[in-house]
Amino acid sequence: MITLKSPQEIDVMRQAGRIVAQTLQVLKEVIKPGITTIQLDALAKRTIESFHASPAFLGYRGFPASICVSLNEEVVHGIPGLRRLRNGDIISIDVGVYYRGYYGDAAATYPVGEISPLARELLEVTEQSLYRGLDMAYPGKRLYDISNAIQEYVESRGYSVVRNYVGHGIGSEMHEEPQVPNFGIPGKGPRLETGMVLAIEPMVNAGGWQVETLADKWTVVTSDRSLSAHFEHTVAILEDGPIILTLLQEG
Ligand code: MG
């Protein structure tokens, strides 16, 4: 069942979302060659807790850290550790918080120092695809209008969308119905309604769409080890269209 959120609930989710955005902003500012991903994790936890929120991923199905950090060919769910960022890496950071009974969830991929033209274009295309999807998030549209807009744009630029992992509804649970794939047939899927809140999160590979999970049972990588990027926002569908809840300012 897809739960519709009241304006009051969306207001709390906006506060949760702003904490997510502020945490990503803090992390973005310290990303540079030499820093370890576990240092980023510690900083994220401190930042989230300073807002009287809690890191939603910590302990989720046994996940051992507060954020997911996925470098280069890693797609999602990378575990922070002693690895140091190097010039030319791209790093995807996924932040989830729990605040006053509701969740916020967002991700972004950042360059470390100077990155290759291919990596830069992959980041641009992935972020842009999220906004192509968002353009479809109006009451009366269908869910897969969002999915298809993302897929069409990504594939038109020569990249591929991951099939095995998808976006999701979000609210008092981190993962609610519906699933929000980054591929699909336009005009299909549940009808979008005012009060739906979705985490839209294209995962885009420079090579093929196939992925696999490493022996740590968490880290998802591209099967062909091509680069992968990930952008995500928590988005509320209102009468006049979508608003992004995971922004620093009112959006
Ligand atoms: Mg998510």
Side-chain angles (χ1 to χ4, degrees), residues 31 37 40 68-72 85 89-93 108-112 123:
I31 288 172
T37 55
L40 296 175
C68 299
V69 290
S70 308
L71 280 100
N72 303 328
L85 301 189
D89 283 343
I90 57 172
I91 179 170
S92 301
I93 301 182
T109 304
Y110 301 107
V112 181
L123 266 51

Side-chain angles (χ1 to χ4, degrees), residues 57 77 94-96 104-107 166-170 174-175 199-201 203 230 232-234:
F57 301 159
H77 304 165
D94 199 340
V95 174
D105 190 2
V166 296
H168 48 95
I170 181 169
M174 186 159 60
H175 296 122
I200 304 175
E201 49 177 320
M203 290 150 261
H230 180 206
E232 175 180 26
H233 273 308
T234 297

Side-chain angles (χ1 to χ4, degrees), residues 75-234:
V75 180
V76 286
H77 304 165
I79 302 171
L82 296 174
R83 183 165 172 184
R84 285 182 194 283
L85 301 189
R86 292 161 51 157
N87 187 53
D89 283 343
I90 57 172
I91 179 170
S92 301
I93 301 182
D94 199 340
V95 174
V97 311
Y98 183 67
Y99 181 74
R100 295 191 180 173
Y102 291 87
Y103 287 89
D105 190 2
T109 304
Y110 301 107
V112 181
E114 271 310 302
I115 61 172
S116 70
L118 168 75
R120 188 158 294 285
E121 189 181 76
L122 177 68
L123 266 51
E124 285 166 11
V125 168
T126 308
E127 184 168 23
Q128 186 57 231
S129 75
L130 171 54
Y131 291 98
R132 297 294 175 112
L134 214 57
D135 284 345
M136 296 292 156
Y138 282 78
K141 291 270 190 193
R142 299 280 189 159
L143 182 66
Y144 301 158
D145 291 330
I146 296 175
S147 310
N148 181 260
I150 293 169
Q151 179 181 20
E152 284 291 315
Y153 177 70
V154 167
E155 293 180 353
S156 77
R157 298 293 303 265
Y159 299 108
S160 61
V161 291
V162 170
R163 306 289 200 269
N164 309 45
Y165 298 87
V166 296
H168 48 95
I170 181 169
S172 58
E173 301 289 335
M174 186 159 60
H175 296 122
E176 298 185 355
E177 288 183 45
Q179 294 199 344
V180 184
N182 299 301
F183 56 96
I185 299 166
K188 302 279 188 191
R191 196 172 289 282
L192 300 178
E193 289 181 58
T194 300
M196 284 185 182
V197 182
L198 306 174
I200 304 175
E201 49 177 320
M203 290 150 261
V204 174
N205 298 346
W209 59 264
Q210 294 87 349
V211 299
E212 55 197 52
T213 305
L214 296 183
D216 66 17
K217 295 199 164 66
W218 280 106
T219 312
V220 177
V221 299
T222 54
S223 296
D224 59 13
R225 301 300 189 267
S226 65
L227 291 177
S228 186
H230 180 206
F231 282 83
E232 175 180 26
H233 273 308
T234 297

